[in-house]
Amino acid sequence: MTHDTAQSTKPRVVLLGLGAMGTALARTWLAAGYPVTVWNRTAAKAEPLRGLGADVAVTAAEAVAAGRLVVTCLFDDASLEEALDGADLHGRDLVDLTTGTPGQADTRAVWAEKRGARFLSGGMMAIPPMIGVPDAGGYVFYSGPREVFDQHASTLAAPLGVRFAGTRPGAAALYDIALLSAMHGMLAGITHAFALVRGEEMPTKEFAGLLTSWLTAMASATDLMAEQIDSGDYSRGVVSNLAMQVAGNRALAVTAEEQGVDFRLLAPYSELLEERLAQGFAEEDGTGALELLVKGS
Ligand SMILES: NC(=O)c1ccc[n+]([C@@H]2O[C@H](COP(=O)([O-])OP(=O)(O)OC[C@H]3O[C@@H](n4cnc5c(N)ncnc54)[C@H](OP(=O)(O)O)[C@@H]3O)[C@@H](O)[C@H]2O)c1
């Protein structure tokens, strides 16, 4: 039984998956006045949402039957397949916010099309407290058919910002994971930096503030790197050439040794720059090391 949709001019959102993210998404759509049908494997998690006006489906198939726009926010790609097993997807627009790889999204798009659904893949650049809080800056990458994105963009924008990443189904996952990869490297560097100074005179909190401002200033290097990559000219606009960077980086390894800190988090990047220098690119920027990473280049 669904609540009377005639009272709402907004389209119904069917949401499968009420974990930390799904629950926050459902709350935001409900607060924004959207009719919402929810389903979760563990039924008890849906009860607080019923109290907020959600229609609660007993099965995933019943939920899918309730509306055209079906949003999934599940644990992983395998749980999506399990949850939708037996649901009739004909005429549905399936928007999958479950984290996965680009390849999984490409495969899932074909799977959905064979079942009569149009498919958008999403990559959420947010954590639960950012959902429904526009100033927090959270957003979702979407990829797949542009017309499907355009049709649902205003509904999808209620809980988090929206950003179209491309028509390849896997594009959203690719950009999501590219950003997470950059974060991963940044956290590796931060962990190493804290290890170097632990127990020294400066309060850790004070050093944390220095880290934040230094990393913020250094992050602007991405603009120049993008120009170098697009032009294929890694010597363009160089301010610190590779020879200088490699010489400086050797002090990083020695300092780690002096401080009794394992260099394993940073060693691979230092080695990559050394290799590029040995190839004769002393006057270029460090960006050229990308050529050693991309297989087949
Ligand atoms: N949390 C974050 O900060 C964050 C940020 C960005 C992206 N994400 C991504 O968003 C997705 C959801 O994250 P979350 O934090 O909401 O996870 P979560 O709290 O662990 O919730 C996982 C959800 O998946 C359901 N599920 C798991 N296996 C299932 C199966 N085999 N069949 C049906 N349902 C199944 C769970 O149902 P039960 O309640 O029955 O267990 C639950 O609703 C994940 O892909 C995650 O990587 C999370």
Side-chain angles (χ1 to χ4, degrees):
M1 182 76 176
T2 57
H3 285 84
D4 183 10
T5 51
Q7 290 173 0
S8 173
T9 54
K10 293 178 171 161
R12 177 166 293 274
V13 180
V14 174
L15 179 63
L16 309 184
L18 299 174
M21 296 296 270
T23 297
L25 292 169
R27 284 177 183 274
T28 312
W29 270 310
L30 287 165
Y34 286 84
V36 178
T37 298
V38 294
W39 171 82
N40 194 58
R41 181 180 61 176
T42 305
K45 288 191 191 163
E47 289 312 314
L49 295 167
R50 192 197 296 277
L52 295 174
D55 297 299
V56 178
V58 176
T59 63
E62 181 190 318
V64 169
R68 179 179 185 118
L69 176 61
V70 177
V71 179
T72 47
C73 187
L74 297 161
F75 184 65
D76 59 10
D77 187 59
S79 55
L80 173 85
E81 183 149 1
E82 197 176 315
L84 287 176
D85 184 39
D88 180 4
L89 293 178
H90 279 98
R92 297 293 173 264
D93 290 336
L94 179 60
V95 179
D96 182 25
L97 302 182
T98 308
T99 299
T101 69
Q104 281 174 331
D106 290 341
T107 305
R108 192 58 58 202
V110 175
W111 175 93
E113 200 177 320
K114 278 190 189 145
R115 283 159 182 76
R118 302 191 298 178
F119 182 77
L120 277 183
S121 180
M124 296 186 286
M125 305 313 300
I127 54 173
M130 295 165 88
I131 294 176
V133 183
D135 289 347
Y139 64 91
V140 182
F141 285 120
Y142 289 98
S143 53
R146 179 82 210 201
E147 64 277 13
V148 183
F149 172 76
D150 288 342
Q151 189 176 333
H152 297 296
S154 67
T155 302
L156 296 173
L160 284 166
V162 297
R163 195 170 185 111
F164 189 70
T167 53
R168 175 189 165 190
L174 178 61
Y175 286 99
D176 178 341
I177 286 169
L179 291 181
L180 291 179
S181 300
M183 181 184 78
H184 206 62
M186 180 188 76
L187 291 174
I190 290 173
T191 304
H192 182 84
F194 274 126
L196 281 178
V197 301
R198 186 168 72 171
E200 298 291 327
E201 262 175 75
M202 186 187 291
T204 313
K205 272 273 189 192
E206 189 180 331
F207 181 65
L210 296 178
L211 270 177
T212 304
S213 50
W214 177 245
L215 290 174
T216 304
M218 288 301 103
S220 64
T222 52
D223 283 336
L224 176 59
M225 292 176 80
E227 283 173 28
Q228 292 168 341
I229 291 164
D230 280 346
S231 66
D233 177 6
Y234 298 116
S235 55
R236 190 174 174 146
V238 174
V239 284
S240 311
N241 70 31
L242 187 61
M244 189 286 282
Q245 288 188 44
V246 167
N249 285 349
R250 287 177 188 145
L252 267 56
V254 175
T255 302
E257 176 102 36
E258 287 176 3
Q259 291 295 98
V261 170
D262 195 321
F263 197 54
R264 74 172 107 168
L265 287 174
L266 302 193
Y269 183 54
S270 287
E271 285 162 14
L272 196 76
L273 295 182
E274 294 266 9
E275 189 179 334
R276 183 73 177 166
L277 181 64
Q279 287 180 339
F281 298 102
E283 298 307 318
E284 286 190 349
D285 216 329
T287 318
L290 176 150
E291 296 294 337
L292 294 170
L293 289 181
V294 181
K295 292 176 186 163
S297 66

